[in-house]
Amino acid sequence: HVRPVESGGGPVQAGGSLRLSCEAPGYYYTMNCMAWFRQIPGQEREGVASINVDSGDTYYTDSAKGRFTISQDNAENMVYLQMNNLKPEDTAMYYCAAAVGECLAIDWASKSPYQSWGQGTQVTVSS
């Protein structure tokens, strides 16, 4: 396949956990940065977490720090987002994105570096 494929979303109660999975594109070996974004209808898509494929270095948005963990399994071309202590404000469509360039602190959370996007998986957190 030519774009990431997300799975693992669904309904969950506040305080619960979910693990999102992203099957990376078939050309994963050319990607250097994988990331998770989320979007609420009517709002901008925001970066949640990213990981440099080679180094394993990670970046997180402030609201995700301490609760979410991004990880990868390069042998399986998979990227994961473990989300713990979920809050209603985490409700959104979550997207996996891939970039040829490395994740950089200055712009990993911007949409512009990413060439490939999945179709998203919905996460709904109820209070």
Side-chain angles (χ1 to χ4, degrees), residues 28-36 49-60 70-74 78-80 97-108 113-114:
Y28 181 60
Y29 68 94
T30 66
M31 297 289 109
N32 288 291
C33 175
M34 299 293 296
W36 287 96
S50 69
I51 186 166
N52 271 309
V53 173
D54 285 342
S55 68
D57 290 343
T58 58
Y59 298 93
Y60 295 93
I70 188 170
S71 62
Q72 61 184 353
D73 182 340
N74 290 349
M78 296 293 293
V79 177
Y80 303 99
V100 173
E102 289 187 355
C103 309
L104 299 174
I106 194 172
D107 67 356
W108 73 267
Y114 301 91

Side-chain angles (χ1 to χ4, degrees), residues 14 35-37 39 44-45 56 74 79 81 84 87 94 99 110:
W36 287 96
F37 282 71
Q39 188 170 22
E44 288 291 317
R45 195 171 295 190
N74 290 349
V79 177
L81 185 68
N84 298 327
K87 304 175 181 181
Y94 283 72
S110 167

Side-chain angles (χ1 to χ4, degrees), residues 8-18 20 38-41 83 86-94 121-127:
V12 63
Q13 289 193 328
S17 298
L18 281 175
L20 305 184
R38 65 186 180 188
Q39 188 170 22
I40 299 168
M83 304 187 295
L86 282 160
K87 304 175 181 181
E89 51 264 43
D90 295 317
T91 295
M93 185 72 79
Y94 283 72
T121 184
Q122 178 69 36
V123 172
T124 303
V125 185
S126 59
S127 59

